[in-house]
Amino acid sequence: MSRVSHIVQKVRSKNAGPFWLTIDIFCGTPEAYAQIIEGLSTQRVAALFKTNVDDLKRFDIADLNVVKFSMPRPTIQGAREDRDMHGAGWAPLLAELEIN
């Protein structure tokens, strides 16, 4: 098993507006992209982030060797309960996930 971060060039997360987060996996090569596509299911990502699989959107962009996930933020950006104003803290969780 390998961690996502050992396969790809970069994992980045950020806000996609005040109500959504986006997480981008920049694979770098077609081989890394294929490994991520085969080894990382949408259900596993939803479970990792404790979100409903129906609310998680996945975009596989083969021309760029990128996999993108978007999901609703657990709290609205800037709300009193928001502890990650820019949405950057989600990427390390996915980067450290082990896949086959």
Side-chain angles (χ1 to χ4, degrees):
M1 292 183 108
S2 296
R3 291 183 179 166
V4 170
S5 63
H6 294 163
I7 299 168
V8 304
Q9 285 183 340
K10 183 176 185 174
V11 180
R12 173 185 73 186
S13 63
K14 61 182 182 172
N15 290 328
F19 306 106
W20 285 80
L21 293 165
T22 189
I23 303 163
D24 303 313
I25 304 172
F26 298 95
C27 299
T29 66
E31 296 79 20
Y33 177 77
Q35 192 172 358
I36 293 298
I37 291 295
E38 292 170 16
L40 187 61
S41 71
T42 303
Q43 292 79 7
R44 187 134 183 247
V45 174
L48 174 68
F49 294 123
K50 298 179 178 127
T51 191
N52 186 335
V53 72
D54 294 329
D55 293 335
L56 183 66
K57 298 177 191 258
R58 178 179 178 144
F59 306 92
D60 296 332
I61 309 166
D63 290 345
L64 300 175
N65 296 317
V66 170
V67 178
K68 178 185 195 94
F69 293 96
S70 293
M71 64 185 170
R73 288 178 59 93
T75 59
I76 296 171
Q77 179 189 18
R80 180 176 287 213
E81 300 83 23
D82 185 16
R83 297 292 176 240
D84 186 6
M85 191 76 156
H86 301 287
W90 297 80
L93 298 172
L94 186 58
E96 294 302 311
L97 187 66
E98 290 190 355
I99 63 170
N100 294 330

